[in-house]
Amino acid sequence: MPLNRREFTKQSAVAGAGLALTGAVGALATAPEALASDEPEAYGAGHGHGRTLGYGPLVADPDGMLALPEGFSYRVVTHSGVTRLESGEFTPSHHDGTAAFAGPRGTTYLVNNHELKGPRGKWEHPVPLTEGLVYDPAAAGGCTVVEVHRDGTVAEWVGVAGTSTNCAGGRTAWGTWLTGEETEDLAGKNGMTKDHGYVFEVDPYDRRANLVPKPIKAFGRYAHEAVVVDPKHGHAYLTEDASGPNGLLFRWVPPQGFEHGRGKLRALADDAGVLQAFKCVDSSGRFVDDLSRATRIGTVYGVDWVDVPDRDARTTPVRKQFTDGQVTRARKLEGMWWADGGAYVVSSYAREESPGAAHDGQVWFYDPKRRTLTLKVLLGVNATPEQDGAFDGPDNITVSPYGGLVIAEDGEGVQHLFGATDSGRTYPIARNDLNDSEFTGVVFSPDGETLFANIQTPGIMVAITGPWRRQPRR
């Protein structure tokens, strides 16, 4: 049922909607301590029951890898070309989206994407073609499962191989990882022998469940980024990182009577359920063509969903199947995380390809009950990305057990992990002192004591520990 204007206006009032099309994007939350609200306060001066924001300034790493706040430390978990899999091959390169799962006797399982596009010959350390776990023997990407023991020992093995450009994905409530291929290559293109652009499921607990990989074609074929699943209603939400035109946010509605669980998705028919793209309206009922139109924290849009005509997109990419006015778009829809009864969604930046205001990152929250999309974090354009301090280009994201968000930066110049409060205020957590590669795969261990993250190139997973503490809500 479409969301009518009266219903949305009522919901906007409850949610505290701001004006949708006003404000100055450049003034908002670009740098650490910057406020994404109207409350002036100096960084570290305390806010919210006396708590200070963040963990203090970053201290340069004498080993030249990871700058952290005082009292924090890190260790390397996997390193492409250095550490090895159980089977003897080197850890694959280009670490990306990651999820953490509680294992037996205090162990942690991490499923780690490897964003390797195109044929295997392009890469020094592709994902090994482990027997029974290969989708397309020509493709270089896939996932590995990393088992971290309490004593620090590590084991790693292949979860799926022969996939392409495994970028982001999402953890499911039943304890599996959904990995998305950020490509639209069909068989015969870029050396591929099978069609790509799908989501695959990887089970970190049961290696047999990963045999004979099968794409979840019901989720559609496009340049997949992240995916989350509503544990109450069973809807899946998926982001698309694409341009020309900008990408879409999708919702997959399961067929009547379908119940999620281990092995259920791979058993679906290719056309099971309904795949839809989002369409936003502001509080006046006006259609919103692109999320770059929002220029103020607290902007609230109403959301409707439009059926996708051809989800397998063999002749026309999904995002090109809609005319102007049918759906809402955004540049680089990236990471997602399900928490607080909804989905946090990242748009990494907007420039001349977008019709609204330029920005260097947005984080939205979709509330499926209210059918609203609320802007939570907005990063103004970073004019000096080569200088340490400002943040730009949010990508992978997680909700922190200590409050707010932790975001992996994929911007220009200096790269960070940074936190954001509920009101959009930001603070530094880590800086890449090794190179200018993006951070990826940010996720806390199940016990909340360790923050795992990756330096994508060459492919290094680190475990960060320290005096984590509750962050102020605002």
Side-chain angles (χ1 to χ4, degrees):
M1 179 189 304
L3 189 69
N4 62 52
R5 178 176 174 180
R6 178 178 296 177
E7 179 185 0
F8 175 55
T9 301
K10 180 180 178 182
Q11 293 181 4
S12 297
V14 173
L19 294 176
L21 300 174
T22 63
V25 66
L28 300 177
T30 302
E33 359 173 330
L35 284 177
S37 68
D38 296 327
E39 299 182 51
E41 184 195 2
Y43 173 73
H47 193 71
H49 306 292
R51 289 194 296 268
T52 57
L53 177 65
Y55 300 97
L58 301 179
V59 180
D61 180 7
D63 294 327
M65 183 175 289
L66 203 65
L68 297 168
E70 186 176 354
F72 283 77
S73 62
Y74 73 91
R75 63 185 178 87
V76 173
V77 180
T78 66
H79 188 159
S80 180
V82 177
T83 56
R84 293 183 181 270
L85 307 183
E86 287 183 344
S87 51
E89 298 96 342
F90 282 118
T91 295
S93 64
H94 289 72
H95 296 20
D96 213 294
T98 306
F101 305 83
R105 297 177 294 280
T107 61
T108 298
Y109 293 129
L110 297 127
V111 185
N112 186 201
N113 279 358
H114 297 277
E115 190 181 16
L116 300 164
K117 181 178 177 62
R120 302 179 60 79
K122 288 177 52 179
W123 306 101
E124 184 178 3
H125 301 299
V127 177
L129 298 178
T130 303
E131 185 178 358
L133 299 176
V134 180
Y135 170 66
D136 180 353
C143 299
T144 55
V145 181
V146 181
E147 182 179 5
V148 182
H149 295 263
R150 298 184 68 176
D151 63 2
T153 58
V154 175
E156 185 178 14
W157 60 88
V158 173
V160 66
T163 51
S164 178
T165 328
N166 297 75
C167 195
R171 190 189 192 281
T172 69
W174 53 95
T176 63
W177 169 248
L178 298 175
T179 178
E181 295 185 300
E182 188 192 341
T183 180
E184 296 173 312
D185 286 350
L186 291 167
K189 184 176 180 180
N190 288 329
M192 300 296 96
T193 64
K194 289 188 177 182
D195 296 340
H196 291 269
Y198 297 115
V199 172
F200 293 79
E201 188 169 26
V202 178
D203 192 327
Y205 297 103
D206 184 358
R207 302 193 195 195
R208 294 172 299 178
N210 300 323
L211 294 172
V212 191
K214 183 177 183 293
I216 305 168
K217 293 188 176 182
F219 285 178
R221 198 186 68 81
Y222 45 89
H224 283 277
E225 274 286 342
V227 53
V228 296
V229 180
D230 180 342
K232 182 176 181 180
H233 300 100
H235 296 162
Y237 297 90
L238 309 101
T239 50
E240 178 188 32
D241 180 3
S243 60
N246 284 347
L248 306 174
L249 173 66
F250 296 96
R251 179 178 74 169
W252 178 77
V253 181
Q256 187 173 6
F258 177 80
E259 294 184 4
H260 283 287
R262 276 187 161 79
K264 297 294 185 64
L265 289 174
R266 66 183 293 158
L268 284 169
D270 293 349
D271 61 351
V274 180
L275 185 67
Q276 302 171 315
F278 79 147
K279 178 180 181 179
C280 295
V281 296
D282 67 16
S283 56
S284 298
R286 293 172 296 185
F287 168 68
V288 179
D289 58 347
D290 195 278
L291 294 185
S292 62
R293 298 293 188 184
T295 61
R296 178 172 292 182
I297 295 288
T299 295
V300 180
Y301 293 146
V303 178
D304 278 329
W305 297 95
V306 183
D307 290 357
V308 170
D310 173 19
R311 75 181 84 183
D312 206 42
R314 304 196 59 79
T315 57
T316 304
V318 171
R319 68 187 181 281
K320 295 182 179 181
Q321 295 174 22
F322 297 98
T323 60
D324 292 343
Q326 286 187 291
V327 293
T328 300
R329 303 182 184 276
R331 185 71 172 100
K332 283 189 73 65
L333 287 166
E334 297 267 4
M336 301 179 76
W337 197 267
W338 184 272
D340 305 323
Y344 290 89
V345 184
V346 170
S347 172
S348 286
Y349 66 81
R351 290 293 190 273
E352 63 278 357
E353 79 291 326
S354 301
H359 65 75
D360 266 339
Q362 299 174 329
V363 181
W364 296 83
F365 179 75
Y366 176 67
D367 184 335
K369 183 177 180 180
R370 298 184 183 277
R371 293 169 62 188
T372 56
L373 190 70
T374 303
L375 185 58
K376 294 290 190 179
V377 177
L378 178 59
L379 304 181
V381 173
N382 182 1
T384 56
E386 71 283 355
Q387 298 179 16
D388 190 23
F391 306 133
D392 60 283
D395 196 320
N396 290 169
I397 187 173
T398 191
V399 171
S400 170
Y402 304 97
L405 305 170
V406 178
I407 300 169
E409 190 177 17
D410 177 17
E412 301 292 331
V414 182
Q415 305 292 325
H416 303 86
L417 298 175
F418 65 96
T421 68
D422 290 352
S423 62
R425 301 173 70 220
T426 58
Y427 58 91
I429 295 175
R431 183 183 67 238
N432 178 1
D433 280 357
L434 179 66
N435 55 31
D436 61 359
S437 173
E438 67 180 281
F439 277 106
T440 64
V442 60
V443 63
F444 275 93
S445 59
D447 62 11
E449 295 182 359
T450 304
L451 179 66
F452 294 96
N454 309 309
I455 296 175
Q456 187 179 64
T457 305
I460 301 172
M461 179 185 289
V462 296
I464 302 170
T465 54
W468 303 109
R469 64 172 180 265
R470 192 76 186 170
Q471 294 297 311
R473 290 182 59 84
R474 299 186 65 82

